[in-house]
Amino acid sequence: MPTAITRGVSPRFADCELTHLERQPIDVAVASAQHEGYVRALRQAGCEIVELPPERDLPDSVFIEDTAVILPEVAIITRPGADSRKPETEGVARVLSSYRELAAIRAPATLDGGDVLLLDKEVYVGLSTRSSLQAIEQLRSVLGQFGYTVFDVQLTGCLHLKSAVTSIGSGRLLINREWADARAFENHELFDISVAEPFAANILMIGGTGIYPAGFPETADMLVKRGVKLLTVDVSELAKAEGAVTCCSLILP
Ligand code: CIR
C-alpha cells in the first residue's frame, strides 16, 4: 500500500506565491474542504495517509510535493525556488527521515519537486523559474550512483514541469506541448490534453487509478475513452494558487 504524505491548508493560503495567474480572492475554508476531498480520494485509491498539520506562516505549504523528491533508494530534500517556501522543507525532512536515507539540494541551487518527473530509471527535470541547472547537476551526482539518468527539459509559460507533463503509466504521458518540449519524451506514447484546457496535463496515478481535477471534462473524456480509470476531485480553489493534484502529496510507493 503506498503512503501519501499531505499537509493541511495554511490559514494564510491566500498569500500564496503566484507566477502565471492573476491574484483572485481565495476562500481558505473552501480550499480546506477541497483538500479534505483530495485526501479522501487518495485513501479511496489505496493510500495510507500521513497528514501533517497546517503551517500557519507558510502559505504554500499545502503543496508539499515541492519539498522533496522520493525514490526507492533515497529522498532528496529540495531547496524551493521561492524564498517564502524555503522553510517548508524542515518539517518534511523530519518525517521523511523515518522512511528513507536523506540527501539535500545545497545552496545556491534551487529545486521545486514539481519540476521532477520520475519515469522508471529516468528523471526529467524542468528548467523553470524555480529550478536551476546547478540543482540538476546535484541530482545527477546523487542519483547517478543508483543508476538513474537525469535529463533537463525546456519549459515555456508554466510554473513546473509537472504542470505540462505527467505519467499515466505504462510508458504513456499526458502532455501540453505548448509548455514542455515534447522532443524530450520521444520514447514515450504521448496523449495530448484538449487545447481548451491548458492546465489539464497534471494527473496523479496511484496504482491504476488517476486522481484528476474535475475542471477538465474534455481531457478526462479522452483519458476514459483510452482506458484510464479516473477519480475526479474538485480542486478549483487550490488551482487559484497555481496548484494541481500532484503537488498536494508526496507519495512513498
Ligand atoms: C507556488 O507558486 O509555489 C505555489 N503557489 C504553487 C505551487 C504548486 N506546486 C506544484 O505544482 N508542484
Side-chain angles (χ1 to χ4, degrees), residues 16-19 60 63 65-66 85 114 130 159-160 241-243 247:
C16 62
E17 297 283 338
L18 286 174
T19 308
D60 277 306
F63 301 127
E65 167 182 61
D66 292 317
R85 302 201 58 192
R130 301 286 176 84
L159 182 59
H160 289 130
E242 293 189 51
C247 38

Side-chain angles (χ1 to χ4, degrees), residues 139-150:
L139 281 177
R140 278 201 181 106
S141 104
V142 175
L143 298 181
Q145 60 185 307
F146 300 114
Y148 291 91
T149 309
V150 179

Side-chain angles (χ1 to χ4, degrees), residues 4-83:
I5 305 176
T6 61
R7 177 142 64 187
V9 175
S10 163
R12 288 189 46 211
F13 182 55
D15 298 330
C16 62
E17 297 283 338
L18 286 174
T19 308
H20 296 283
L21 295 183
E22 292 292 318
R23 196 166 295 277
Q24 320 175 38
I26 292 182
D27 186 325
V28 178
V30 173
S32 290
Q34 290 182 352
H35 186 255
E36 282 165 20
Y38 170 83
V39 173
R40 274 196 303 278
L42 285 171
R43 232 180 236 122
Q44 203 179 324
C47 290
E48 186 175 323
I49 309 292
V50 173
E51 188 148 24
L52 310 188
E55 287 279 355
R56 211 204 97 71
D57 291 319
L58 300 174
D60 277 306
S61 50
V62 65
F63 301 127
I64 194 166
E65 167 182 61
D66 292 317
T67 61
V69 177
I70 298 174
L71 298 105
E73 302 85 351
V74 64
I76 296 168
I77 305 303
T78 65
R79 184 168 180 272
D83 285 343

Side-chain angles (χ1 to χ4, degrees), residues 107-120:
T110 58
L111 181 74
D112 279 11
D115 275 318
V116 182
L117 176 64
L118 174 65
L119 301 171
D120 299 316

Side-chain angles (χ1 to χ4, degrees), residues 58-246:
L58 300 174
D60 277 306
S61 50
V62 65
F63 301 127
I64 194 166
E65 167 182 61
D66 292 317
T67 61
V69 177
I70 298 174
L71 298 105
E73 302 85 351
V74 64
I76 296 168
I77 305 303
T78 65
R79 184 168 180 272
D83 285 343
S84 69
R85 302 201 58 192
K86 287 185 170 67
E88 289 179 28
T89 56
E90 210 180 292
V92 174
R94 255 197 315 274
V95 174
L96 282 179
S97 63
S98 312
Y99 295 91
R100 292 285 189 282
E101 287 295 316
L102 299 185
I105 297 296
R106 295 179 313 276
T110 58
L111 181 74
D112 279 11
D115 275 318
V116 182
L117 176 64
L118 174 65
L119 301 171
D120 299 316
K121 294 302 260 188
E122 297 182 340
V123 183
Y124 293 86
V125 188
L127 274 171
S128 68
T129 54
R130 301 286 176 84
S131 299
S132 66
L133 263 175
Q134 290 149 306
I136 295 176
E137 285 311 319
Q138 291 182 24
L139 281 177
R140 278 201 181 106
S141 104
V142 175
L143 298 181
Q145 60 185 307
F146 300 114
Y148 291 91
T149 309
V150 179
F151 302 94
D152 44 81
V153 184
Q154 216 54 55
L155 298 182
T156 20
C158 64
L159 182 59
H160 289 130
L161 177 63
K162 280 187 275 190
S163 322
V165 55
T166 50
S167 171
I168 43 179
S170 312
R172 301 167 306 169
L173 301 178
L174 183 61
I175 188 165
N176 176 344
R177 294 177 201 245
E178 296 286 310
W179 287 351
D181 185 352
R183 286 171 302 182
F185 303 104
E186 270 168 354
N187 54 342
H188 293 85
E189 189 184 350
L190 301 184
F191 288 16
D192 289 287
I193 51 131
S194 160
V195 284
E197 297 171 346
F199 290 90
N202 188 269
I203 186 167
L204 174 62
M205 294 303 295
I206 303 290
T209 303
I211 297 181
Y212 195 63
F216 309 125
E218 292 183 13
T219 307
D221 197 41
M222 177 278 291
L223 289 168
V224 169
K225 285 195 175 120
R226 289 176 157 217
V228 183
K229 184 178 155 206
L230 296 183
L231 200 51
T232 50
V233 285
D234 182 359
V235 286
S236 52
E237 208 65 16
L238 297 164
K240 290 180 183 173
E242 293 189 51
V245 285
T246 62

